[in-house]
């Protein structure tokens, strides 16, 4: 046998997964400020507060605009400084207790605000520097940003856990398991080597699906899992399933949520191959484009489907699941699109390479 370890993962492994994920969020989610989406939201929050607060003081639109620009000259550098420090010290601060992390974040907020106030004072924009008010404002904004980061981190773990269980249930569907076993039984006498290979692919598929991969895995891991699934389906459908792999080795290190690619491949087989007597073509393509990685899963559709251009039934839930999990991991850096393209159905994902 190619791999004597049929099932190395056990149900207890799966049961421990949410607890470990929760521990990771609890220890390191507070200063997860190293993403573009977090920076944009923090800057917009500060600018919105500055704009509203200066409305109470400005006597005319021109006066308000000048005052808002003055305050922004100190608030914006202070905000960016806090974000840079929080990102740079992320691993160090994650080792502290939760109260100590909040205290450190507040101290960094006060220091960043004093820096912004000093810029205005040293450049002569303000004659009298409001040091105490600036420090208090820095602590307040730091607290708001930290609260947002904590809520975002808490939202990631339940969503990832729920998505993981949903995908496991879809993958271990009874009819898929029974079809695979029945096909293997039929091959045992005539083609025992092919039956053995099929059962080993099934065992590897289950082993990878039930393992605890953590918050994210590499694109190479997801490709390997999809390959085992397609190897099983290839035996079942034979020439009806034509698979084309266009893989860029430079893209294999991109990070994806665990069990993300598998439901897309399953949908391609379900809606492209199963309903078509002639079968379908399935193409999986990866490509590195600078600092981005493009992933595409494309399948041809039966003529009756693409002629009227209906959406394949069942795609909505899986695609919404994929979109939400990508947003949680990569925020605004991830791109997702899906839809009909001529006679094919294509799902396209773009993620950063270095995340």
């Amino acid at each position: 046998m190619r791999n004597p370890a049929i099932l190395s993962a056990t149900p207890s492994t799966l049961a421990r997964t949410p607890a470990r994920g929760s521990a990771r969020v609890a220890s390191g989610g507070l200063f997860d400020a190293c993403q573009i989406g977090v920076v944009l939201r923090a800057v917009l929050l500060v600018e919105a507060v500055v704009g509203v607060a200066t409305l109470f003081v400005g006597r005319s639109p021109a006066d308000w605009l000048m005052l808002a620009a003055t305050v922004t000259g100190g608030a914006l550098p202070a905000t960016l400084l806090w974000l840079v420090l929080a990102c740079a010290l992320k691993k160090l601060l994650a080792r502290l207790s939760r109260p100590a992390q909040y205290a450190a974040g507040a101290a960094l907020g006060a220091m960043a605000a004093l820096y912004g106030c000093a810029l205005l004072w040293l450049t002569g924009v303000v004659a009298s520097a409001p040091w105490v008010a600036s420090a208090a404002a820095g602590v307040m904004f730091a607290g708001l940003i930290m609260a947002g980061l904590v809520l975002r981190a808490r939202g990631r773990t339940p969503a990832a856990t729920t998505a993981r269980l949903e995908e496991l249930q879809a993958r271990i569907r009874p009819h898929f398991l029974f079809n695979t076993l029945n096909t293997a039984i039929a091959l045992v006498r005539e083609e025992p080597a092919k039956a053995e290979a099929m059962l080993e692919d099934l065992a590897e598929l289950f082993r990878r699906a039930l393992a605890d991969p953590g918050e994210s895995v590499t694109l190479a891991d997801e490709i390997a899992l999809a390959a085992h699934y397609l190897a099983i389906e290839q035996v079942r459908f034979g020439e009806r399933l034509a698979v084309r792999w266009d893989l860029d080795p430079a893209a294999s290190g991109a990070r994806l949520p665990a069990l993300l690619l598998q439901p897309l491949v399953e949908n391609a087989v379900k809606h492209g191959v199963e309903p078509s007597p002639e079968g379908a073509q399935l193409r999986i393509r990866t490509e590195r484009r600078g600092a981005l990685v493009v992933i595409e899963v494309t399948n041809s559709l039966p003529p009756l489907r693409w002629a009227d251009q209906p959406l394949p039934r069942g795609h909505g839930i899986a695609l919404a699941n994929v979109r939400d999990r990508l947003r949680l991991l990569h925020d605004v850096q991830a791109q997702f699109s899906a839809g009909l393209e001529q006679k094919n159905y294509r799902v396209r994902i773009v993620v950063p390479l270095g995340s």
Side-chain angles (χ1 to χ4, degrees):
M1 296 178 66
R2 292 175 296 178
N3 184 4
I6 299 299
L7 283 176
S8 61
T10 63
S12 60
T13 302
L14 180 61
R16 289 193 302 267
T17 300
R20 279 204 285 255
S22 300
R24 281 192 294 267
V25 172
S27 63
L30 186 57
F31 287 93
D32 188 13
C34 303
Q35 296 191 18
I36 295 177
V38 174
V39 175
L40 290 177
R41 294 184 183 96
V43 171
L44 290 176
L45 170 65
V46 172
E47 287 301 305
V49 173
V50 167
V52 173
T54 51
L55 282 174
F56 289 94
V57 182
R59 293 185 292 269
S60 65
D63 188 32
W64 168 78
L65 186 61
M66 181 63 67
L67 185 59
T70 300
V71 177
T72 297
L76 186 57
T79 303
L80 295 177
L81 177 61
W82 188 91
L83 292 168
V84 170
L85 291 175
C87 180
L89 300 175
K90 175 182 175 181
K91 294 182 179 180
L92 178 62
L93 295 174
R95 301 173 185 173
L96 303 176
S97 63
R98 178 48 61 91
Q101 290 186 49
Y102 279 113
L108 290 177
M111 183 181 67
L114 291 174
Y115 165 77
C117 183
L119 286 180
L120 296 178
W121 180 60
L122 292 175
T123 54
V125 176
V126 294
S128 177
W131 302 109
V132 176
S134 297
V139 172
M140 181 189 69
F141 280 113
L144 290 175
I145 296 174
M146 286 188 292
L149 292 175
V150 169
L151 291 176
R152 182 177 182 273
R154 288 179 179 175
R156 175 181 298 181
T157 299
T161 302
T162 301
R164 176 178 172 80
L165 294 176
E166 289 176 353
E167 299 307 332
L168 285 174
Q169 291 171 357
R171 184 163 301 101
I172 312 176
R173 293 173 301 180
H175 80 267
F176 168 71
L177 176 60
F178 294 154
N179 288 340
T180 302
L181 294 178
N182 288 335
T183 303
I185 292 172
L187 293 172
V188 166
R189 293 185 178 179
E190 297 181 359
E191 300 181 78
K194 184 178 292 187
E196 180 181 347
M198 188 177 188
L199 291 175
E200 288 177 354
D201 283 321
L202 180 63
E204 183 65 17
L205 180 66
F206 272 57
R207 185 185 71 82
R208 289 177 177 267
L210 295 174
D212 180 14
E215 184 177 289
S216 65
V217 297
T218 64
L219 175 58
D221 293 331
E222 287 292 284
I223 292 293
L225 184 64
H228 286 291
Y229 171 78
L230 289 175
I232 296 173
E233 298 291 46
Q234 188 75 70
V235 177
R236 289 183 55 209
F237 293 106
E239 295 182 354
R240 290 175 57 196
L241 174 59
V243 182
R244 176 181 172 184
W245 300 88
D246 294 328
L247 304 179
D248 183 357
S252 60
R255 307 297 299 186
L256 294 174
L259 305 174
L260 187 85
L261 189 60
Q262 182 67 21
L264 301 180
V265 176
E266 289 184 7
N267 274 343
V269 173
K270 178 180 179 181
H271 298 288
V273 181
E274 289 185 2
S276 175
E278 296 81 14
Q281 294 182 346
L282 172 61
R283 182 190 182 195
I284 300 177
R285 186 179 76 89
T286 64
E287 180 185 2
R288 177 180 177 180
R289 296 182 180 177
L292 299 176
V293 169
V294 179
I295 307 164
E296 290 184 353
V297 178
T298 307
N299 65 276
S300 58
L301 295 174
L304 292 179
R305 283 195 170 172
W306 57 257
D308 299 329
Q309 294 189 351
L311 288 176
R313 184 179 180 182
H315 266 298
I317 297 177
L319 295 186
N321 182 290
V322 170
R323 184 185 296 108
D324 292 342
R325 298 181 67 201
L326 280 172
R327 186 182 299 115
L328 284 171
L329 182 63
H330 294 297
D331 207 352
V332 297
Q333 293 176 286
Q335 302 175 28
F336 178 89
S337 62
L340 293 168
E341 187 179 81
Q342 296 180 351
K343 301 179 182 179
N344 301 317
Y345 194 92
R346 186 185 73 164
V347 177
R348 187 174 188 268
I349 298 171
V350 180
V351 295
L353 178 62
S355 296

